[in-house]
């Protein structure tokens, strides 16, 4: 239930007038000036946080040559997975299937139900060892693919923390390289399994490219982590952010702050224009008084 801002009288549904039925004050314009300045101060302080985020977002992509280089390399690990890293051949009774060890081959394997077949054949008495070795290689490859996607995400979301996200990208790139090397070793072991009539494989060079691309993203992110990303804020933005934190914590009240809260070159220019207009108005008024 609404109440009068001056006397606290609880209003009824039939009280449609803008004047309080008890004290008669105009509730719409009561403390209008104080409320106006309070909201203006709040808007000034809250807008500073948005401005800082936009500046960090821009800097995380275009702040330096390294950030631009990161834009160029963040997709490389993911794209490298399109390069075949080998192949394995399933020789069944009525059909022979050849699957590429790469992103496209893995997607087709999962969507076509082939993965379930491989998992089921892991315990087969004849070719179980070959199937188990292949499953281990595919698991390591899947981890590598996940790390490649994670590198892309952390690079895009680098503005969240211009320093910490670079460290996270370094760790993910290192894990991706380890996963690619593990997948390469495991697939080589699978390919080296004595030939059997059901499953065989051949090595490729795609994973070497993937390791190299993870090394590139690791290097760029490491350099960014050490050198940092320069962020240029507008005058007074950081000061307003600190004041706003104090307001939220209750250490400072909006009513105790000046308007504008922080003086900058822009606000001083506005104040000068207002003062000039007031002086011109008073001069014009005085002139008319003198003529009268």
């Amino acid at each position: 239930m609404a109440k009068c801002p001056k006397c606290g009288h609880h209003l009824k549904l039939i009280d449609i007038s803008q004047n309080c039925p008890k004290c008669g004050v105009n509730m719409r314009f009561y403390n209008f000036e104080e409320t106006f300045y309070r909201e203006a101060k709040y808007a000034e302080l809250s807008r500073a946080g948005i401005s800082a985020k936009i500046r960090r977002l821009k800097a995380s992509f275009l702040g330096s040559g390294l950030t631009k280089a990161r834009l160029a390399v963040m997709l490389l690990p993911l794209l490298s997975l399109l390069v075949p890293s080998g192949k394995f051949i399933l020789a069944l009774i009525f059909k022979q299937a050849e699957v590429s060890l790469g992103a496209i081959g893995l997607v087709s394997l999962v969507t076509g139900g082939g993965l379930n077949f491989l998992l089921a054949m892991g315990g087969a008495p004849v070719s179980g060892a070959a199937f188990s070795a292949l499953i281990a290689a595919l698991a390591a490859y899947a981890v590598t693919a996940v790390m490649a996607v994670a590198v892309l995400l952390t690079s895009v979301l680098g503005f969240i923390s211009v320093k910490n996200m670079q460290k996270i990208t370094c760790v993910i790139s290192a894990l991706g390289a380890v996963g690619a090397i593990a997948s390469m070793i495991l697939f080589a072991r699978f390919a080296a399994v004595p030939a059997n009539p059901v499953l065989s494989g051949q090595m490729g060079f795609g994973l070497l490219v993937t390791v190299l691309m993870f090394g590139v993203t690791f290097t760029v992110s490491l350099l960014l982590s050490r050198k940092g990303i320069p962020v240029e804020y507008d005058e007074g933005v950081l000061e307003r952010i600190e004041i706003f934190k104090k307001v939220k914590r209750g250490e400072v009240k909006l009513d105790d702050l000046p308007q504008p809260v922080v003086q900058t070159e822009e606000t001083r220019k506005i104040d000068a224009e207002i003062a000039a207009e007031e002086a011109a108005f008073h001069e014009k008024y005085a002139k008319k008084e003198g003529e009268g």
Side-chain angles (χ1 to χ4, degrees):
M1 182 68 70
K3 60 182 180 179
C4 174
K6 182 180 180 181
C7 66
H9 174 70
H10 289 278
L11 303 176
K12 301 177 182 178
L13 293 176
I14 59 175
D15 296 326
I16 59 175
S17 173
Q18 63 183 15
N19 295 319
C20 175
K22 184 176 181 180
C23 66
V25 72
N26 190 315
M27 296 179 290
R28 184 177 181 181
F29 295 102
Y30 179 75
N31 279 345
F32 175 81
E33 185 174 355
E34 291 82 355
T35 302
F36 172 81
Y37 281 116
R38 188 181 300 113
E39 292 179 354
K41 295 172 189 177
Y42 188 89
E44 177 186 347
L45 296 176
S46 60
R47 190 167 57 245
I50 298 174
S51 175
K53 290 178 182 178
I54 293 174
R55 289 287 183 173
R56 286 196 296 269
L57 175 61
K58 183 178 179 180
S60 67
F61 290 105
L62 303 172
S64 65
L66 280 174
T67 57
K68 295 175 183 178
R70 185 184 59 185
L71 285 178
V73 304
M74 63 183 182
L75 270 173
L76 293 181
L78 200 57
L79 293 176
S80 70
L81 297 178
L82 298 176
V83 181
S85 301
K87 65 179 180 180
F88 57 92
I89 302 169
L90 280 169
L92 304 178
I93 298 177
F94 299 105
K95 182 180 180 181
Q96 178 172 303
E98 182 177 303
V99 181
S100 170
L101 181 62
I104 297 177
L106 286 182
V107 170
S108 63
L109 183 68
V110 173
T111 56
L115 182 60
N116 293 331
F117 174 77
L118 294 180
L119 294 174
M121 290 294 293
V126 177
S127 305
F131 278 99
S132 297
L134 177 59
I135 291 170
L138 293 179
Y141 194 92
V143 172
T144 304
V146 171
M147 294 301 105
V149 174
V151 165
L152 175 61
L153 291 177
T154 54
S155 298
V156 172
L157 300 175
F159 64 92
I160 295 176
S161 175
V162 291
K163 188 174 183 179
N164 292 332
M165 292 299 284
Q166 317 315 317
K167 296 179 181 179
I168 294 174
T169 305
C170 285
V171 173
I172 293 174
S173 297
L175 292 175
V178 171
I181 293 172
S183 179
M184 190 163 44
I185 294 173
L186 291 171
F187 195 79
R189 289 182 178 178
F190 155 72
V193 172
N196 62 79
V198 179
L199 184 65
S200 60
Q202 295 178 2
M203 278 293 296
F205 63 90
L207 283 170
L208 290 174
V209 178
T210 302
V211 172
L212 178 61
M213 295 302 100
F214 274 120
V216 172
T217 58
F218 176 87
T219 302
V220 173
S221 299
L222 181 63
L223 292 174
L224 277 172
S225 176
R226 291 184 174 181
K227 294 185 177 181
I229 300 176
V231 183
E232 295 182 2
Y233 297 103
D234 292 334
E235 183 185 5
V237 167
L238 296 180
E239 188 177 352
R240 290 187 179 109
I241 291 175
E242 290 302 318
I243 294 174
F244 197 33
K245 290 179 181 178
K246 293 180 180 179
V247 171
K248 288 183 175 180
R249 292 195 297 261
E251 299 175 6
V252 177
K253 293 183 179 180
L254 282 173
D255 294 333
D256 298 333
L257 296 173
Q259 172 60 31
V261 178
V262 178
Q263 283 284 357
T264 62
E265 185 63 31
E266 182 182 2
T267 59
R268 285 189 288 268
K269 183 179 179 181
I270 294 174
D271 289 342
E273 292 175 355
I274 294 174
E277 291 179 1
E278 289 180 349
F281 173 79
H282 289 304
E283 183 180 353
K284 184 178 180 180
Y285 180 79
K287 186 177 180 181
K288 287 184 177 181
E289 287 288 328
E291 292 176 353

